[in-house]
Amino acid sequence: MPTAPRSTAPAPAPPAPAAPSLTERRKAETRLEIARAAAALFAERGSAVTADDIARAAGVALRTFYRYFRTKEEAVAPLLAVGVRQWLADLRRLAAEGDGLPVRDVLERAARQALTPSDERAAEALRWTRGLLRAMRDDPALRSVWHHVHHDSEEALIPVLAGMTDGGTAEVRLAAAAANTAMRVAVETWAADDAPEERADDPAELVVRGMRALTAGLSGLDRRRTTTPPPV
Protein backbone atom coordinates (compact mmCIF):
# COMPACT_ATOMS: atom_id res chain seq x y z
CA MET A 1 0.00 0.00 0.00
CA PRO A 2 1.48 3.39 -0.90
CA THR A 3 2.24 5.70 1.98
CA ALA A 4 2.77 9.42 2.23
CA PRO A 5 6.42 10.46 1.86
CA ARG A 6 8.26 11.14 5.10
CA SER A 7 9.81 14.53 5.47
CA THR A 8 13.57 14.63 6.05
CA ALA A 9 13.35 18.00 7.79
CA PRO A 10 13.55 17.99 11.57
CA ALA A 11 10.23 17.95 13.32
CA PRO A 12 9.23 21.35 14.67
CA ALA A 13 9.62 21.83 18.39
CA PRO A 14 6.36 21.43 20.27
CA PRO A 15 4.77 24.76 21.12
CA ALA A 16 5.22 26.01 24.65
CA PRO A 17 2.14 25.41 26.80
CA ALA A 18 -0.14 28.40 26.86
CA ALA A 19 -0.18 30.39 30.07
CA PRO A 20 -3.36 29.91 32.12
CA SER A 21 -6.06 32.42 31.30
CA LEU A 22 -7.22 34.98 33.81
CA THR A 23 -10.37 32.90 34.37
CA GLU A 24 -8.34 29.76 35.01
CA ARG A 25 -6.05 31.59 37.44
CA ARG A 26 -9.05 32.97 39.33
CA LYS A 27 -10.59 29.49 39.54
CA ALA A 28 -7.34 28.07 40.87
CA GLU A 29 -7.10 30.85 43.45
CA THR A 30 -10.69 30.24 44.54
CA ARG A 31 -10.06 26.50 44.90
CA LEU A 32 -7.00 27.17 47.03
CA GLU A 33 -8.79 29.73 49.21
CA ILE A 34 -11.58 27.22 49.86
CA ALA A 35 -8.95 24.55 50.59
CA ARG A 36 -7.20 26.79 53.13
CA ALA A 37 -10.49 27.53 54.86
CA ALA A 38 -11.38 23.82 54.91
CA ALA A 39 -7.99 22.80 56.30
CA ALA A 40 -8.14 25.40 59.06
CA LEU A 41 -11.66 24.33 60.07
CA PHE A 42 -10.91 20.59 60.01
CA ALA A 43 -7.76 21.21 62.06
CA GLU A 44 -9.80 23.18 64.61
CA ARG A 45 -13.08 21.25 64.78
CA GLY A 46 -12.47 17.84 63.25
CA SER A 47 -15.08 16.00 61.23
CA ALA A 48 -17.97 18.07 62.64
CA VAL A 49 -17.19 20.71 59.98
CA THR A 50 -19.84 21.07 57.25
CA ALA A 51 -19.60 22.23 53.66
CA ASP A 52 -21.64 25.28 54.65
CA ASP A 53 -19.08 26.12 57.37
CA ILE A 54 -16.28 25.94 54.81
CA ALA A 55 -18.15 28.06 52.26
CA ARG A 56 -18.85 30.76 54.83
CA ALA A 57 -15.24 30.79 56.04
CA ALA A 58 -13.99 31.06 52.45
CA GLY A 59 -16.49 33.82 51.64
CA VAL A 60 -18.27 31.94 48.86
CA ALA A 61 -21.81 30.70 48.33
CA LEU A 62 -22.53 27.05 49.09
CA ARG A 63 -23.40 26.42 45.43
CA THR A 64 -19.99 27.84 44.51
CA PHE A 65 -18.37 25.40 46.91
CA TYR A 66 -20.11 22.51 45.18
CA ARG A 67 -19.01 23.73 41.76
CA TYR A 68 -15.44 23.06 42.88
CA PHE A 69 -15.79 20.07 45.21
CA ARG A 70 -18.19 17.14 45.52
CA THR A 71 -17.68 16.70 49.28
CA LYS A 72 -16.36 18.69 52.21
CA GLU A 73 -13.39 16.32 52.55
CA GLU A 74 -12.28 16.80 48.94
CA ALA A 75 -11.89 20.51 49.65
CA VAL A 76 -8.55 19.95 51.42
CA ALA A 77 -6.94 18.20 48.43
CA PRO A 78 -5.64 21.34 46.64
CA LEU A 79 -3.77 22.48 49.74
CA LEU A 80 -2.15 19.06 50.18
CA ALA A 81 -1.29 19.00 46.48
CA VAL A 82 0.52 22.35 46.77
CA GLY A 83 3.00 20.71 49.13
CA VAL A 84 3.53 17.84 46.71
CA ARG A 85 4.16 20.23 43.80
CA GLN A 86 6.67 22.20 45.86
CA TRP A 87 8.53 19.01 46.80
CA LEU A 88 8.76 17.95 43.14
CA ALA A 89 9.86 21.45 42.10
CA ASP A 90 12.62 21.41 44.73
CA LEU A 91 13.68 17.96 43.56
CA ARG A 92 13.92 19.07 39.92
CA ARG A 93 15.79 22.23 40.86
CA LEU A 94 18.34 20.41 43.01
CA ALA A 95 18.82 17.77 40.31
CA ALA A 96 19.42 20.49 37.69
CA GLU A 97 22.08 22.24 39.72
CA GLY A 98 24.53 19.62 38.52
CA ASP A 99 26.75 19.49 41.58
CA GLY A 100 27.29 15.76 41.15
CA LEU A 101 25.36 14.68 44.23
CA PRO A 102 24.02 11.10 44.15
CA VAL A 103 20.28 10.79 43.65
CA ARG A 104 19.90 9.65 47.25
CA ASP A 105 21.35 12.92 48.55
CA VAL A 106 19.21 15.01 46.20
CA LEU A 107 16.10 13.19 47.42
CA GLU A 108 17.03 13.80 51.04
CA ARG A 109 17.73 17.50 50.47
CA ALA A 110 14.43 18.04 48.66
CA ALA A 111 12.47 16.17 51.33
CA ARG A 112 14.16 18.14 54.11
CA GLN A 113 13.37 21.43 52.36
CA ALA A 114 9.74 20.39 51.83
CA LEU A 115 9.25 19.88 55.57
CA THR A 116 11.24 22.93 56.68
CA PRO A 117 8.95 25.97 56.29
CA SER A 118 10.62 28.93 54.60
CA ASP A 119 8.11 31.52 55.81
CA GLU A 120 5.10 31.93 58.09
CA ARG A 121 2.59 30.95 55.40
CA ALA A 122 4.44 27.67 54.79
CA ALA A 123 4.62 27.06 58.54
CA GLU A 124 0.89 27.67 58.82
CA ALA A 125 0.18 25.20 56.00
CA LEU A 126 2.27 22.57 57.80
CA ARG A 127 0.34 23.21 61.02
CA TRP A 128 -2.94 22.80 59.13
CA THR A 129 -1.66 19.51 57.74
CA ARG A 130 -0.89 18.36 61.28
CA GLY A 131 -4.38 19.26 62.41
CA LEU A 132 -5.89 17.56 59.37
CA LEU A 133 -4.03 14.34 60.08
CA ARG A 134 -5.33 14.35 63.63
CA ALA A 135 -8.87 14.88 62.35
CA MET A 136 -8.39 11.94 59.96
CA ARG A 137 -8.21 9.47 62.83
CA ASP A 138 -12.01 9.46 63.00
CA ASP A 139 -12.80 10.39 59.40
CA PRO A 140 -12.33 7.69 56.72
CA ALA A 141 -13.29 10.15 53.96
CA LEU A 142 -10.48 12.52 54.94
CA ARG A 143 -8.03 9.62 55.09
CA SER A 144 -9.09 8.64 51.58
CA VAL A 145 -8.23 12.12 50.29
CA TRP A 146 -4.83 11.97 52.01
CA HIS A 147 -3.98 8.61 50.48
CA HIS A 148 -5.22 9.69 47.06
CA VAL A 149 -2.92 12.72 47.13
CA HIS A 150 0.02 10.50 48.05
CA HIS A 151 -0.82 8.04 45.28
CA ASP A 152 -0.70 10.91 42.78
CA SER A 153 2.55 12.11 44.36
CA GLU A 154 4.18 8.72 43.86
CA GLU A 155 3.09 8.60 40.22
CA ALA A 156 4.48 12.11 39.65
CA LEU A 157 7.81 11.14 41.23
CA ILE A 158 8.43 8.29 38.78
CA PRO A 159 9.32 10.36 35.68
CA VAL A 160 11.36 12.79 37.80
CA LEU A 161 13.47 9.96 39.22
CA ALA A 162 13.70 8.24 35.83
CA GLY A 163 15.51 11.33 34.57
CA MET A 164 17.98 11.23 37.46
CA THR A 165 18.98 7.60 37.87
CA ASP A 166 20.08 4.90 35.42
CA GLY A 167 18.38 2.21 37.48
CA GLY A 168 15.85 -0.02 35.74
CA THR A 169 12.10 0.45 35.68
CA ALA A 170 11.51 -1.59 38.84
CA GLU A 171 14.16 0.30 40.78
CA VAL A 172 12.78 3.68 39.70
CA ARG A 173 9.30 2.68 40.85
CA LEU A 174 10.64 1.30 44.12
CA ALA A 175 12.56 4.54 44.71
CA ALA A 176 9.43 6.61 44.09
CA ALA A 177 7.41 4.41 46.44
CA ALA A 178 10.11 4.55 49.11
CA ALA A 179 10.55 8.33 48.94
CA ASN A 180 6.81 8.94 48.95
CA THR A 181 6.25 6.53 51.85
CA ALA A 182 9.05 8.13 53.85
CA MET A 183 7.41 11.53 53.38
CA ARG A 184 3.95 10.27 54.33
CA VAL A 185 5.10 8.33 57.40
CA ALA A 186 7.26 11.22 58.63
CA VAL A 187 4.34 13.67 58.52
CA GLU A 188 1.91 11.16 60.03
CA THR A 189 4.35 10.35 62.86
CA TRP A 190 4.93 14.03 63.56
CA ALA A 191 1.18 14.70 63.58
CA ALA A 192 0.49 11.80 65.96
CA ASP A 193 2.99 13.10 68.53
CA ASP A 194 0.97 14.61 71.38
CA ALA A 195 3.91 16.70 72.58
CA PRO A 196 3.63 20.48 72.04
CA GLU A 197 4.68 21.48 68.53
CA GLU A 198 7.97 23.01 69.68
CA ARG A 199 8.94 19.75 71.44
CA ALA A 200 7.69 17.28 68.83
CA ASP A 201 10.11 15.42 66.58
CA ASP A 202 11.25 17.45 63.60
CA PRO A 203 9.41 16.07 60.52
CA ALA A 204 12.40 16.98 58.32
CA GLU A 205 14.64 14.71 60.40
CA LEU A 206 12.02 11.97 60.43
CA VAL A 207 11.74 11.94 56.65
CA VAL A 208 15.51 11.73 56.15
CA ARG A 209 15.80 8.80 58.55
CA GLY A 210 12.88 7.06 56.90
CA MET A 211 14.21 7.65 53.40
CA ARG A 212 17.63 6.25 54.28
CA ALA A 213 16.05 3.12 55.77
CA LEU A 214 13.65 2.52 52.88
CA THR A 215 16.12 3.17 50.04
CA ALA A 216 19.14 1.41 51.55
CA GLY A 217 19.00 -1.47 49.04
CA LEU A 218 18.53 0.70 45.92
CA SER A 219 22.06 1.00 44.52
CA GLY A 220 20.88 3.11 41.57
CA LEU A 221 20.38 6.03 43.95
CA ASP A 222 24.11 6.13 44.71
CA ARG A 223 24.89 7.64 41.29
CA ARG A 224 23.41 9.93 38.67
CA ARG A 225 22.01 8.88 35.31
CA THR A 226 24.52 8.61 32.47
CA THR A 227 22.27 7.01 29.83
CA THR A 228 18.82 7.56 28.37
CA PRO A 229 16.25 7.08 31.16
CA PRO A 230 14.43 3.74 31.10
CA PRO A 231 10.76 3.67 30.10
CA VAL A 232 8.41 3.73 33.11
Side-chain angles (χ1 to χ4, degrees), residues 75-98:
V76 303
L79 186 66
L80 297 175
V82 164
V84 171
R85 287 197 298 271
Q86 184 59 55
W87 177 29
L88 294 177
D90 287 343
L91 184 58
R92 292 189 185 95
R93 177 180 54 78
L94 289 168
E97 287 177 353

Side-chain angles (χ1 to χ4, degrees), residues 42 51 54 65-66 68-76 141 145:
F42 275 117
I54 297 169
F65 174 91
Y66 280 118
Y68 288 95
F69 304 104
R70 293 181 303 169
T71 68
K72 63 180 184 179
E73 292 85 5
E74 283 184 5
V76 303
V145 172

Side-chain angles (χ1 to χ4, degrees), residues 167-183:
T169 299
E171 187 167 55
V172 168
R173 288 183 173 273
L174 282 169
N180 187 65
T181 299
M183 183 69 81

Side-chain angles (χ1 to χ4, degrees), residues 201-213:
D201 285 335
D202 182 354
E205 295 302 323
L206 288 171
V207 73
V208 169
R209 293 205 303 268
M211 203 167 287
R212 288 176 181 173

Side-chain angles (χ1 to χ4, degrees), residues 7-85:
S7 171
T8 57
S21 67
L22 178 60
T23 299
E24 290 169 335
R25 292 199 302 272
R26 284 176 174 168
K27 286 181 178 179
E29 289 167 4
T30 300
R31 281 177 59 86
L32 195 52
E33 283 303 314
I34 295 172
R36 290 191 183 106
L41 287 173
F42 275 117
E44 178 186 350
R45 304 182 196 172
S47 58
V49 172
T50 67
D52 194 43
D53 293 334
I54 297 169
R56 282 202 304 271
V60 300
L62 186 58
R63 66 175 179 274
T64 301
F65 174 91
Y66 280 118
R67 279 206 301 267
Y68 288 95
F69 304 104
R70 293 181 303 169
T71 68
K72 63 180 184 179
E73 292 85 5
E74 283 184 5
V76 303
L79 186 66
L80 297 175
V82 164
V84 171
R85 287 197 298 271

